[in-house]
Amino acid sequence: MFGFFKNMGKTPRRNPQLEDAITKLNLNRSNNYKDAAQEDFKNLEAVYKELCGNGKLNDKQKAYYHDMIEDFRVKMDGYTHKDQKPYWT
């Protein structure tokens, strides 16, 4: 009856492993845990590559998560404590 609401094509079906990694990364970024966020980003990339290599993601999922990872790559560039300038100098 309401089949027209089902999978309207805007976002692909979510992968729980990747969604967990993204959630953890976003939590550490929002709490300003820069080193942990960098590790989470590496983990996200590793999980994505593993799932792609095992054929667990379809083409829509690959494109969706690839774009999301590239967006995170831009946000994470220079996101470390060592690059942070102290406010007292």
Side-chain angles (χ1 to χ4, degrees):
M1 180 174 166
F2 294 105
F4 58 89
F5 286 120
K6 189 175 182 179
N7 196 7
M8 296 178 74
K10 292 184 179 182
T11 58
R13 190 169 155 158
R14 306 291 173 123
N15 181 284
Q17 289 176 299
L18 289 171
E19 290 298 319
D20 288 345
I22 290 167
T23 300
K24 190 174 176 183
L25 173 59
N26 280 328
L27 284 172
N28 282 326
R29 283 186 68 239
S30 68
N31 288 323
N32 204 25
Y33 300 147
K34 295 179 179 181
D35 296 333
Q38 289 290 345
E39 287 298 318
D40 291 338
F41 179 67
K42 290 177 187 175
N43 180 47
L44 174 62
E45 286 183 312
V47 170
Y48 175 75
K49 287 178 184 177
E50 179 184 337
L51 291 173
C52 285
N54 292 338
K56 303 268 183 175
L57 300 176
N58 61 34
D59 290 338
K60 282 186 177 181
Q61 289 173 322
K62 285 180 186 178
Y64 176 76
Y65 287 114
H66 179 267
D67 291 345
M68 190 173 286
I69 288 171
E70 290 304 314
D71 185 43
F72 276 124
R73 187 179 316 282
V74 170
K75 291 177 183 176
M76 299 299 288
D77 186 37
Y79 190 73
T80 62
H81 286 294
K82 67 178 182 165
D83 294 336
Q84 186 176 356
K85 299 288 182 194
Y87 65 89
W88 58 84
T89 59

